[in-house]
């Protein structure tokens, strides 16, 4: 109801090493069964984009934030007051964590993006579009991929896309045909699919493509995002395409 009313909802996925796709939950976290439109946030390491031991995982998870080593107000019996202990109303910790921390971080990202959209276009980004924006511009999970916690939001990439396009993506963001992410082994060559692999979404789209983003270094394990900016016949931006290439050992 909140999402349908235009309210962006950010949910903490909880902590407990739980697979939300497990049959125990009877499909409650299966998007094909139901989808509230909320942004579901799990936890990742502060030193890398991979799930923590206690991260809840599953296909319903949209994005993750840091689940450890987060500075926050208020020392407690759980975290102490390791940064500063000034009494009940002036204590600080550097050890805040869990999805309480991760969802707070994502909330800050969303607020920042929404502020840019309001200033640039004079209207907010709708909830489901905001979710899609975070996922598509986020930096992909880098390890333990069978335990999905989604990408880590990339505020700079999201803001750049919002500045260039309407907040409801009148100019759509699509992916290339084929598996996404594409997985290749270390040392294998990667063939850039180029213009021929684009979805045929508009007859006016030309084959002009400029490639940006990270270079795909096939000698190093990691996830790379390659961006294609496709122009129309008049040279105007028509489609921005993002493809994830995962190099594995």
């Amino acid at each position: 109801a909140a999402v349908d009313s235009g309210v962006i909802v950010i949910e903490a996925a909880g902590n407990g090493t739980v697979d939300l796709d497990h049959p125990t939950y009877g499909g409650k976290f299966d998007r094909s069964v139901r989808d509230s439109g909320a942004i579901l946030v799990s936890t990742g390491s502060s030193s890398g984009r991979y799930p923590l031991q206690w991260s809840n995982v599953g296909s319903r998870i949209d994005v993750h934030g840091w689940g450890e080593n987060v500075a926050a107000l208020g020392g407690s019996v759980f975290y102490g007051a390791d940064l500063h202990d000034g009494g009940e109303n002036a204590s600080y910790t550097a050890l805040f964590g869990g999805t309480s921390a991760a969802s707070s971080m994502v909330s800050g990202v969303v607020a920042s993006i929404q502020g840019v959209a309001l200033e640039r276009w004079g209207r907010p980004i709708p909830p489901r579009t905001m979710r899609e924006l975070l996922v598509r511009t986020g930096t992909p999970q880098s390890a333990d991929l069978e335990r999905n916690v989604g990408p880590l939001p990339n505020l700079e990439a999201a803001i750049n896309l919002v500045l260039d396009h309407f907040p409801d993506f009148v100019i759509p963001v699509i992916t290339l045909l084929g598996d996404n992410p594409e997985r290749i082994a270390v040392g294998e060559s990667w063939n850039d699919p180029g213009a021929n692999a684009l979805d045929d979404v508009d007859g006016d789209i030309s084959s002009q493509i400029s490639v940006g983003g990270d270079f795909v270094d096939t000698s190093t394990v990691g996830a790379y995002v390659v961006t294609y900016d496709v122009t129309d016949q008049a040279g105007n931006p028509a489609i921005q395409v993002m493809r994830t290439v995962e190099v594995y050992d």
Side-chain angles (χ1 to χ4, degrees), residues 1-226:
V3 169
D4 289 342
S5 298
V7 177
I8 296 175
V9 178
I10 299 173
E11 288 184 342
N15 315 301
T17 322
V18 168
D19 180 1
L20 300 181
D21 293 328
H22 194 277
T24 298
Y25 296 100
K28 288 184 171 62
F29 298 99
D30 183 343
R31 292 182 198 271
S32 66
V33 175
R34 66 177 191 177
D35 182 2
S36 67
I39 300 169
L40 197 60
V41 182
S42 189
T43 56
S45 169
S46 61
S47 59
R49 301 181 308 279
Y50 54 84
L52 297 168
Q53 180 180 359
W54 58 79
S55 297
N56 285 354
V57 301
S59 59
R60 179 58 182 85
I61 304 295
D62 296 301
V63 293
H64 75 269
W66 285 9
E68 60 182 359
N69 300 323
V70 175
L73 302 173
S76 71
V77 295
F78 298 105
Y79 303 106
D82 50 287
L83 284 182
H84 177 70
D85 188 356
E88 181 179 356
N89 296 319
S91 296
Y92 302 86
T93 178
L95 301 176
F96 189 45
T99 47
S100 297
S103 56
S104 297
M105 293 180 69
V106 174
S107 298
V109 169
V110 167
S112 296
I113 295 170
Q114 197 70 290
V116 171
L118 290 169
E119 176 65 23
R120 178 70 175 85
W121 301 107
R123 54 193 176 96
I125 299 175
R128 294 178 189 273
T129 303
M130 179 66 79
R131 183 173 70 176
E132 184 73 7
L133 175 65
L134 292 181
V135 172
R136 289 189 178 269
T137 60
T139 306
Q141 181 178 336
S142 63
D144 203 1
L145 299 179
E146 66 277 8
R147 300 178 64 223
N148 179 66
V149 292
L152 180 69
N154 184 325
L155 181 57
E156 181 179 12
I159 285 177
N160 286 338
L161 191 59
V162 170
L163 289 174
D164 291 339
H165 301 295
F166 291 104
D168 55 356
F169 297 125
V170 171
I171 301 173
V173 179
I174 64 172
T175 59
L176 292 176
L177 293 173
D179 294 335
N180 191 42
E182 178 181 355
R183 301 184 77 239
I184 58 176
V186 170
E188 290 185 352
S189 61
W190 178 67
N191 296 319
D192 186 341
N196 293 331
L198 288 174
D199 282 317
D200 183 16
V201 296
D202 191 327
D204 292 332
I205 300 302
S206 74
S207 60
Q208 302 175 46
I209 292 183
S210 60
V211 180
D214 294 332
F215 175 73
V216 179
D217 179 5
T218 59
S219 67
T220 305
V221 172
Y224 302 85
V225 178
V226 181

